[in-house]
Amino acid sequence: MAWHPVAEAEALSDDEVVGVKIAGKDIAVCRAGGEYFALGNVCTHQFALLSDGVIEDGCIECPIHQGRFDLKTGQPKGPPVSKAVDVYKVRVDGGRVMVELDEGSP
Ligand code: FES
């Protein structure tokens, strides 16, 4: 496992999400309620990037069919999504948002 810098902490406002690519993986990094979160960026329903969606009530909402995923657990919050997205550990270090990722995992 390794920590990867993905964004300047001050550059992310509350309820803002950005898409980043680390070791070939699409990851959505967002801030909500002053906390930072990192999840798989590809919706598990059909293809859409969650970083094009919105943050609301502790969830990220897919821009295509409005499927919602819990920011902390990645679990779906109801139809049409039924499969979770991955979640990653996040910390802020030296003003940068860092995401922990196993580069060897599929
Ligand atoms: S593609 Fe995300 S809910 Fe359908």
Side-chain angles (χ1 to χ4, degrees):
M1 296 294 236
W3 289 94
H4 300 265
V6 294
E8 294 297 320
E10 284 188 3
L12 270 181
S13 306
D14 242 15
D15 298 334
E16 185 176 355
V17 54
V18 294
V20 298
K21 204 157 197 148
I22 305 172
K25 286 188 182 178
D26 286 306
I27 297 178
V29 179
C30 60
R31 188 177 126 179
E35 282 187 77
Y36 295 89
F37 302 91
L39 308 93
N41 196 14
V42 179
C43 183
T44 57
H45 178 227
Q46 293 175 5
F47 185 84
L49 293 178
L50 296 179
S51 56
D52 292 332
V54 295
I55 307 291
E56 199 174 79
D57 299 331
C59 294
I60 188 165
E61 184 177 286
C62 177
I64 304 296
H65 308 108
Q66 288 71 53
R68 291 158 59 91
F69 299 90
D70 187 290
L71 289 175
K72 289 184 177 161
T73 66
Q75 290 297 317
K77 301 295 275 184
V81 288
S82 58
K83 186 170 179 272
V85 290
D86 290 336
V87 290
Y88 303 94
K89 287 185 184 166
V90 179
R91 68 180 163 98
V92 176
D93 189 357
R96 291 189 298 181
V97 182
M98 313 281 289
V99 174
E100 189 181 43
L101 193 71
D102 178 0
E103 293 173 26
S105 64

